[in-house]
Amino acid sequence: MKLKIDNGNLIVPGHITIPYITGDGIGSEITPVCRQVVNAAIQKAYGDNRSIRWKEVPAGEKSFRENGEWLPDTTLETFKEYLIGMKGPLTTPVGGGIRSINVALRQRLDLYVCLRPVRWFRGVYSPLREPRKVNMTVFRENTEDIYAGIEWDKDTPEARKFLDFLRNEMGVTKIRFPESSAFGVKPVSEEGTKRLVRSAIQYASDRQLPGVTLVHKGNIMKFTEGGFKRWGYEVAEEEFGDQVFTMSEYEKIVKTRGKDAAGQILQEAKREKKIIVKDVIADAFLQNTLLRPEDYSVIATLNLNGDYISDQLAAMVGGIGISPGANINYLTGHAIFEATHGTAPDIAGENRANPSSLILSAAMMLEYIHWNEAAERIIRAMEHCFTEGEATSDLSAFMPNGKYLTTSRFGQTLIENINSN
């Protein structure tokens, strides 16, 4: 059975088919473990009333070796048809051809949100004194900014033509070393910004979260990142009305009625549990998350900023190995849930890889289709493992009571925890 979308709502039958890409490198080890854990959680939560039939589709090195294609059109069509899917880590091809399989999937399916929830699990080592304060969800724009892939290498005809255009048509004189420069174009649109921020605010509203922070570098890039800030505030004020209070409104009140009046209105908005929408310059935000992580809940940001932010936050709670991720189009319902780390070829085949990122991403997938009880069983089982010091080598080595488990043994321990509640 297939998922459907009707007026923006997912229609989920009890028995569904989920396409998946095994992935390269450690993908062949972590993906089977992930599927086993998900199946166990669904069986425990719902018995025979719900199930997933897994459908493997080709992509990556294995696909290239077998049929000469890194990302076959049939794989894209399958993801389109079944709406959601799962993906292990994929190699980025070196040299010509496809720039990145991951980026191609996001672009061609228009998966405009890269969703990265970040939280700390008890038992996991963190460099922070109070990692429990870190509980954020990052909405990273997934189709514009650097992911547009518009750039030209130095000394190419395209770079020289672009330089000529900048000089002679646009009057640009501030390129320090024009003849040896490569060039890139950073598109940021009003439509792309608003659909991302709209999704972030709706996410906060649905989960009764306190605030959404727009992270940008608009103090320097005034029309791209500055536009992101401006358009983000516009969608908050124009579409969410009394559900939100924006710091843009706060600044207007300061100018007309003074800071005390603005402060009182802000406090009243908090008492009424309105979503507080604010903005922060990207470099200040990275500092603030270390000093006051509890000040942030939902983050909406551009592509490049989101890359830095999501990896820093992951490091704050124990590393990218326990950081889940998804690429989502909330309008069409399409979504791919994935491991956020690489293929780790140095340990491939050694049964040492940490499957937690992919398993937690699969738990996100279960939440996305509203199979929340199964998702919660996975989360509880994983936290129990970590509290007991049971983890793969990348995590257990830093735990005071660490007990090293292989990839397969970690998966079986999770399943035992799921079945024993």
Side-chain angles (χ1 to χ4, degrees):
M1 299 285 286
K2 300 173 187 176
L3 286 83
K4 298 179 181 178
I5 190 159
D6 183 25
N7 293 322
N9 298 313
L10 274 176
I11 309 300
V12 185
H15 304 280
I16 58 176
T17 297
I18 301 294
Y20 72 96
I21 298 169
T22 296
D24 300 324
I26 58 173
S28 60
E29 297 163 70
I30 65 173
T31 301
V33 167
C34 176
R35 290 190 286 114
Q36 291 163 13
V37 170
V38 171
N39 291 342
I42 294 170
Q43 176 66 33
K44 185 66 177 178
Y46 311 114
D48 295 332
N49 294 321
R50 297 181 187 179
S51 67
I52 291 176
R53 182 178 77 86
W54 299 96
K55 177 183 177 69
E56 185 173 13
V57 292
E61 286 182 323
K62 179 181 177 182
S63 174
F64 185 74
R65 288 195 304 268
E66 292 178 354
N67 56 46
E69 295 183 275
W70 289 97
L71 181 59
D73 288 339
T74 54
T75 294
L76 282 164
E77 291 304 316
T78 301
F79 280 132
K80 286 180 182 178
E81 180 182 358
Y82 288 91
L83 287 186
I84 69 170
M86 195 175 73
K87 181 179 73 61
L90 290 172
T91 298
T92 298
V94 177
I98 193 167
R99 178 182 290 264
S100 163
I101 303 171
N102 296 323
V103 173
L105 283 166
R106 295 163 190 170
Q107 291 278 355
R108 293 173 68 176
L109 295 172
D110 196 25
L111 305 175
Y112 63 88
V113 170
C114 179
L115 187 67
R116 295 282 295 271
V118 183
R119 56 154 290 186
W120 178 66
F121 287 89
R122 286 176 297 169
V124 175
Y125 168 79
S126 166
L128 300 188
R129 180 177 296 175
E130 297 181 286
R132 60 183 174 77
K133 292 182 177 181
V134 180
N135 191 357
M136 304 179 212
T137 302
V138 179
F139 278 70
R140 172 192 178 194
E141 206 291 319
N142 218 13
T143 62
E144 300 189 316
D145 196 1
I146 64 167
Y147 266 13
I150 305 171
E151 61 174 351
W152 302 280
D153 199 2
K154 76 177 188 72
D155 295 331
T156 60
E158 295 83 2
R160 289 191 289 271
K161 186 175 182 178
F162 188 68
L163 175 60
D164 182 69
F165 170 76
L166 291 177
R167 283 171 164 171
N168 299 323
E169 299 293 331
M170 304 301 293
V172 174
T173 61
K174 295 182 180 179
I175 302 174
R176 180 68 64 188
F177 303 106
E179 302 305 328
S180 63
S181 292
F183 297 96
V185 177
K186 176 189 177 75
V188 177
S189 71
E190 179 179 359
E191 181 180 4
T193 295
K194 285 189 172 180
R195 67 178 185 175
L196 177 90
V197 176
R198 183 182 299 117
S199 297
I201 297 174
Q202 189 62 56
Y203 182 94
S205 175
D206 292 344
R207 290 159 179 77
Q208 298 183 316
L209 299 173
V212 175
T213 303
L214 311 174
V215 181
H216 61 91
K217 194 63 178 172
N219 57 329
I220 301 299
M221 291 172 279
K222 300 184 183 299
F223 304 118
T224 50
E225 305 231 355
F228 181 89
K229 169 189 170 181
R230 182 172 70 256
W231 298 321
Y233 276 134
E234 285 177 5
V235 75
E237 293 167 2
E238 294 171 4
E239 299 184 21
F240 289 88
D242 291 339
Q243 292 185 65
V244 304
F245 181 78
T246 71
M247 295 310 290
S248 177
E249 293 179 75
Y250 176 89
E251 294 299 333
K252 293 173 187 173
I253 297 169
V254 169
K255 291 179 181 178
T256 57
R257 297 170 56 186
K259 196 167 185 177
D260 289 344
Q264 291 174 4
I265 293 172
L266 174 60
Q267 292 307 313
E268 180 63 25
K270 290 180 178 179
R271 284 193 292 272
E272 293 175 358
K273 296 187 176 179
K274 291 186 176 182
I275 299 168
I276 307 303
V277 181
K278 60 186 177 181
D279 73 279
V280 180
I281 301 298
D283 45 314
F285 175 80
L286 292 172
Q287 173 183 248
N288 293 347
T289 54
L290 289 169
L291 298 174
R292 301 190 306 276
E294 67 273 20
D295 287 355
Y296 301 102
S297 178
V298 177
I299 314 304
T301 190
L302 301 98
N303 185 272
L304 183 57
N305 295 335
D307 203 5
Y308 301 147
I309 288 166
S310 54
D311 279 15
Q312 175 186 292
L313 295 179
M316 290 163 60
V317 296
I320 202 168
I322 53 169
S323 176
N327 304 285
I328 301 174
N329 184 319
Y330 286 99
L331 304 175
T332 66
H334 288 97
I336 296 179
F337 298 82
E338 64 180 359
T340 59
H341 52 71
T343 59
D346 56 320
I347 61 168
E350 297 182 6
N351 201 17
R352 292 172 48 200
N354 183 356
S356 299
S357 173
L358 190 59
I359 292 170
L360 291 171
S361 298
M364 289 175 64
M365 180 183 73
L366 294 172
E367 290 173 352
Y368 184 72
I369 62 175
H370 307 298
W371 292 8
N372 294 322
E373 186 178 346
E376 289 166 5
R377 288 180 181 275
I378 292 173
I379 301 298
R380 290 199 301 268
M382 188 167 290
E383 187 144 40
H384 180 77
C385 274
F386 294 154
T387 302
E388 294 296 313
E390 297 172 330
T392 49
S393 59
D394 57 324
L395 298 179
S396 64
F398 298 99
M399 295 173 170
N401 60 335
K403 304 167 190 172
Y404 164 60
L405 301 180
T406 63
T407 307
S408 54
R409 181 63 242 176
F410 180 69
Q412 286 304 309
T413 303
L414 284 177
I415 291 171
E416 291 166 8
N417 289 339
I418 288 168
N419 289 330
S420 65
N421 293 315

